[in-house]
Amino acid sequence: MNPYLDIIIRSVSVYLFMIVALRIFGKKELSQLNTADVILILLISNAVQNAMVGNNTSLLGGVVAAFALFVINIIFKKVMLKSKFIKNLVQDKPEILIHNGKVDFNALAKIGITSDELQEAMREHGVEHYKEVKLSMFEIDGSISIISGDKNLKQTHHKRKIHKTLGTINN
């Protein structure tokens, strides 16, 4: 077999494995990653490097692997746009966190957001109490959007940050 075709097949296989693994282990989006998750991904990338390029450690071998990853990523995104089944398989739907002032603690637990994180997002948007929130959603990109129920119908958007004690990742 052509060594570069081998690299392409290996790289695409690792890419598909990572898509499935991230979905199985519950990470909706990269914005939810904490320090331990980032370290895990960096270590996985090092661990699978040989699986992608094999014994070929040349510059061209690395470029072919990177090119294959870019191409499969573009193809995968286009497939997700055209196939609702694949999109639903890979990507979760937005979750309602607060509806008309009532917090859905089951949704918070499912997503892994603490009530303190939700309150922080509310404060960043100038909302003091849950009862002031008409709708709060955990969006598919990992952000929390909040629509307050006041007369001005203020809408805000919060990018989830990792708490200081968990790491230094800030969006």
Side-chain angles (χ1 to χ4, degrees):
M1 176 184 285
N2 181 323
Y4 298 111
L5 181 59
D6 185 48
I7 290 172
I8 291 169
I9 292 170
R10 289 167 172 256
S11 297
V12 168
S13 298
V14 169
Y15 177 89
L16 294 174
F17 167 77
M18 289 302 298
I19 294 286
V20 171
L22 284 173
R23 178 69 172 132
I24 289 172
F25 290 106
K27 294 298 171 189
K28 283 175 137 185
E29 295 295 327
L30 292 180
S31 65
Q32 289 184 29
L33 299 180
N34 61 33
T35 304
D37 294 327
V38 172
I39 291 169
L40 175 66
I41 287 180
L42 291 172
L43 292 174
I44 287 172
S45 68
N46 191 43
V48 299
Q49 176 185 359
N50 289 341
M52 288 192 296
V53 295
N55 294 331
N56 187 339
T57 58
S58 68
L59 175 62
L60 185 57
V63 169
V64 168
F67 180 75
L69 291 172
F70 278 114
V71 169
I72 190 64
N73 190 51
I74 290 169
I75 292 170
F76 193 72
K77 285 182 178 183
K78 288 186 184 222
V79 167
M80 280 180 44
L81 285 173
K82 293 183 184 214
S83 171
K84 193 171 187 169
F85 173 76
I86 297 293
K87 184 177 181 178
N88 290 338
L89 191 64
V90 174
Q91 195 172 53
D92 277 342
K93 295 185 175 17
E95 294 279 343
I96 296 174
L97 303 177
I98 304 173
H99 186 256
N100 291 330
K102 295 179 183 163
V103 180
D104 185 344
F105 290 103
N106 291 330
L108 290 177
K110 176 183 169 191
I111 297 168
I113 295 177
T114 65
S115 59
D116 290 338
E117 288 177 308
L118 182 58
Q119 288 173 338
E120 178 184 353
M122 289 168 40
R123 285 189 302 272
E124 287 181 358
H125 301 307
V127 178
E128 207 172 331
H129 302 288
Y130 293 123
K131 65 182 179 182
E132 298 173 26
V133 177
K134 183 176 181 180
L135 183 66
S136 176
M137 299 286 294
F138 185 74
E139 306 293 352
I140 60 173
D141 68 352
S143 64
I144 299 172
S145 60
I146 296 175
I147 300 173
S148 67
D150 68 7
K151 294 177 184 172
N152 298 330
L153 194 63
K154 176 175 48 177
Q155 181 175 358
T156 55
H157 193 73
H158 168 75
K159 192 69 171 175
R160 185 171 178 210
K161 297 178 184 180
I162 302 301
H163 193 273
K164 294 174 196 113
T165 59
L166 297 176
T168 58
I169 298 172
N170 288 318
N171 294 331

Tab-separated table of all heavy atoms in Angstrom, residues 22-45:
chain	number	residue	atom	x	y	z
A	22	LEU	N	-15.477	11.435	22.246
A	22	LEU	CA	-15.958	12.655	22.901
A	22	LEU	C	-17.463	12.600	23.117
A	22	LEU	O	-17.979	13.068	24.132
A	22	LEU	CB	-15.573	13.893	22.091
A	22	LEU	CG	-14.112	14.314	22.193
A	22	LEU	CD1	-13.802	15.436	21.221
A	22	LEU	CD2	-13.771	14.732	23.616
A	23	ARG	N	-18.175	12.018	22.183
A	23	ARG	CA	-19.628	11.910	22.323
A	23	ARG	C	-19.990	10.935	23.452
A	23	ARG	O	-20.852	11.213	24.273
A	23	ARG	CB	-20.244	11.449	20.996
A	23	ARG	CG	-21.726	11.261	21.044
A	23	ARG	CD	-22.426	12.598	21.197
A	23	ARG	NE	-23.854	12.388	21.047
A	23	ARG	CZ	-24.743	12.868	21.875
A	23	ARG	NH1	-24.392	13.623	22.884
A	23	ARG	NH2	-26.019	12.631	21.688
A	24	ILE	N	-19.307	9.808	23.504
A	24	ILE	CA	-19.598	8.800	24.525
A	24	ILE	C	-19.270	9.324	25.916
A	24	ILE	O	-20.011	9.108	26.864
A	24	ILE	CB	-18.821	7.496	24.244
A	24	ILE	CG1	-19.416	6.799	23.028
A	24	ILE	CG2	-18.824	6.577	25.460
A	24	ILE	CD1	-18.622	5.603	22.546
A	25	PHE	N	-18.153	10.045	26.040
A	25	PHE	CA	-17.735	10.514	27.354
A	25	PHE	C	-18.378	11.840	27.743
A	25	PHE	O	-18.021	12.429	28.750
A	25	PHE	CB	-16.212	10.579	27.446
A	25	PHE	CG	-15.606	9.204	27.456
A	25	PHE	CD1	-14.957	8.709	26.344
A	25	PHE	CD2	-15.723	8.388	28.572
A	25	PHE	CE1	-14.421	7.433	26.342
A	25	PHE	CE2	-15.191	7.117	28.578
A	25	PHE	CZ	-14.542	6.636	27.458
A	26	GLY	N	-19.338	12.315	26.941
A	26	GLY	CA	-20.229	13.364	27.395
A	26	GLY	C	-19.808	14.799	27.192
A	26	GLY	O	-20.412	15.675	27.776
A	27	LYS	N	-18.821	15.099	26.414
A	27	LYS	CA	-18.458	16.489	26.170
A	27	LYS	C	-19.211	16.990	24.962
A	27	LYS	O	-18.991	16.544	23.850
A	27	LYS	CB	-16.946	16.647	25.938
A	27	LYS	CG	-16.129	16.339	27.151
A	27	LYS	CD	-16.463	17.287	28.268
A	27	LYS	CE	-15.810	16.860	29.564
A	27	LYS	NZ	-16.270	17.617	30.690
A	28	LYS	N	-20.117	17.932	25.196
A	28	LYS	CA	-20.894	18.478	24.096
A	28	LYS	C	-20.030	19.350	23.208
A	28	LYS	O	-20.090	19.273	22.002
A	28	LYS	CB	-22.030	19.336	24.633
A	28	LYS	CG	-23.177	18.591	25.166
A	28	LYS	CD	-24.109	19.590	25.756
A	28	LYS	CE	-25.513	19.309	25.409
A	28	LYS	NZ	-26.393	20.347	25.888
A	29	GLU	N	-19.266	20.201	23.826
A	29	GLU	CA	-18.448	21.140	23.076
A	29	GLU	C	-17.147	21.362	23.826
A	29	GLU	O	-17.046	21.130	25.020
A	29	GLU	CB	-19.173	22.479	22.912
A	29	GLU	CG	-20.416	22.393	22.073
A	29	GLU	CD	-20.159	22.022	20.633
A	29	GLU	OE1	-19.115	22.400	20.078
A	29	GLU	OE2	-21.006	21.346	20.044
A	30	LEU	N	-16.155	21.861	23.126
A	30	LEU	CA	-14.858	22.086	23.747
A	30	LEU	C	-14.901	23.156	24.822
A	30	LEU	O	-14.048	23.180	25.693
A	30	LEU	CB	-13.818	22.445	22.688
A	30	LEU	CG	-13.472	21.310	21.734
A	30	LEU	CD1	-12.440	21.779	20.726
A	30	LEU	CD2	-12.975	20.093	22.469
A	31	SER	N	-15.872	24.038	24.796
A	31	SER	CA	-15.949	25.067	25.827
A	31	SER	C	-16.256	24.474	27.197
A	31	SER	O	-16.110	25.144	28.202
A	31	SER	CB	-16.995	26.111	25.469
A	31	SER	OG	-18.270	25.533	25.451
A	32	GLN	N	-16.669	23.211	27.246
A	32	GLN	CA	-16.928	22.567	28.524
A	32	GLN	C	-15.690	21.909	29.104
A	32	GLN	O	-15.728	21.364	30.182
A	32	GLN	CB	-17.979	21.482	28.358
A	32	GLN	CG	-19.348	22.003	28.100
A	32	GLN	CD	-20.312	20.851	28.062
A	32	GLN	OE1	-20.127	19.823	28.695
A	32	GLN	NE2	-21.361	21.007	27.316
A	33	LEU	N	-14.596	21.925	28.401
A	33	LEU	CA	-13.418	21.219	28.859
A	33	LEU	C	-12.769	21.946	30.021
A	33	LEU	O	-12.567	23.144	29.987
A	33	LEU	CB	-12.406	21.071	27.722
A	33	LEU	CG	-12.871	20.277	26.506
A	33	LEU	CD1	-11.759	20.224	25.469
A	33	LEU	CD2	-13.295	18.882	26.898
A	34	ASN	N	-12.425	21.189	31.058
A	34	ASN	CA	-11.653	21.766	32.150
A	34	ASN	C	-10.183	21.413	31.935
A	34	ASN	O	-9.817	20.793	30.938
A	34	ASN	CB	-12.180	21.287	33.508
A	34	ASN	CG	-12.092	19.782	33.673
A	34	ASN	OD1	-11.187	19.144	33.163
A	34	ASN	ND2	-13.048	19.224	34.393
A	35	THR	N	-9.336	21.784	32.862
A	35	THR	CA	-7.898	21.574	32.711
A	35	THR	C	-7.565	20.100	32.500
A	35	THR	O	-6.756	19.759	31.636
A	35	THR	CB	-7.157	22.118	33.951
A	35	THR	OG1	-7.507	23.493	34.127
A	35	THR	CG2	-5.660	22.003	33.792
A	36	ALA	N	-8.186	19.227	33.270
A	36	ALA	CA	-7.915	17.793	33.129
A	36	ALA	C	-8.304	17.289	31.746
A	36	ALA	O	-7.603	16.454	31.154
A	36	ALA	CB	-8.654	17.010	34.215
A	37	ASP	N	-9.406	17.796	31.191
A	37	ASP	CA	-9.846	17.392	29.854
A	37	ASP	C	-8.862	17.850	28.783
A	37	ASP	O	-8.574	17.114	27.843
A	37	ASP	CB	-11.229	17.962	29.537
A	37	ASP	CG	-12.327	17.388	30.418
A	37	ASP	OD1	-12.221	16.206	30.802
A	37	ASP	OD2	-13.276	18.129	30.711
A	38	VAL	N	-8.363	19.080	28.920
A	38	VAL	CA	-7.380	19.589	27.952
A	38	VAL	C	-6.110	18.756	28.001
A	38	VAL	O	-5.558	18.377	26.966
A	38	VAL	CB	-7.084	21.086	28.208
A	38	VAL	CG1	-5.931	21.567	27.342
A	38	VAL	CG2	-8.325	21.922	27.954
A	39	ILE	N	-5.657	18.443	29.207
A	39	ILE	CA	-4.464	17.598	29.356
A	39	ILE	C	-4.705	16.237	28.723
A	39	ILE	O	-3.847	15.701	28.019
A	39	ILE	CB	-4.076	17.464	30.850
A	39	ILE	CG1	-3.559	18.810	31.363
A	39	ILE	CG2	-3.039	16.366	31.058
A	39	ILE	CD1	-3.391	18.875	32.856
A	40	LEU	N	-5.882	15.666	28.953
A	40	LEU	CA	-6.224	14.375	28.366
A	40	LEU	C	-6.148	14.436	26.847
A	40	LEU	O	-5.564	13.557	26.200
A	40	LEU	CB	-7.626	13.936	28.801
A	40	LEU	CG	-8.148	12.649	28.156
A	40	LEU	CD1	-7.315	11.455	28.593
A	40	LEU	CD2	-9.607	12.446	28.499
A	41	ILE	N	-6.713	15.482	26.255
A	41	ILE	CA	-6.689	15.596	24.790
A	41	ILE	C	-5.258	15.744	24.273
A	41	ILE	O	-4.894	15.152	23.260
A	41	ILE	CB	-7.598	16.745	24.320
A	41	ILE	CG1	-9.046	16.303	24.490
A	41	ILE	CG2	-7.312	17.118	22.881
A	41	ILE	CD1	-10.067	17.305	24.090
A	42	LEU	N	-4.436	16.528	24.979
A	42	LEU	CA	-3.040	16.668	24.559
A	42	LEU	C	-2.308	15.325	24.632
A	42	LEU	O	-1.538	14.977	23.734
A	42	LEU	CB	-2.326	17.711	25.422
A	42	LEU	CG	-2.772	19.155	25.211
A	42	LEU	CD1	-2.126	20.073	26.250
A	42	LEU	CD2	-2.452	19.618	23.807
A	43	LEU	N	-2.562	14.577	25.696
A	43	LEU	CA	-1.923	13.265	25.834
A	43	LEU	C	-2.440	12.279	24.792
A	43	LEU	O	-1.678	11.472	24.254
A	43	LEU	CB	-2.121	12.717	27.245
A	43	LEU	CG	-1.377	13.479	28.348
A	43	LEU	CD1	-1.756	12.944	29.714
A	43	LEU	CD2	0.128	13.412	28.138
A	44	ILE	N	-3.726	12.346	24.502
A	44	ILE	CA	-4.284	11.472	23.468
A	44	ILE	C	-3.652	11.798	22.123
A	44	ILE	O	-3.303	10.899	21.354
A	44	ILE	CB	-5.820	11.592	23.410
A	44	ILE	CG1	-6.444	10.902	24.617
A	44	ILE	CG2	-6.366	10.991	22.122
A	44	ILE	CD1	-7.934	11.127	24.757
A	45	SER	N	-3.490	13.087	21.839
A	45	SER	CA	-2.888	13.461	20.551
A	45	SER	C	-1.481	12.896	20.438
A	45	SER	O	-1.061	12.432	19.373
A	45	SER	CB	-2.883	14.975	20.364
A	45	SER	OG	-1.993	15.587	21.270
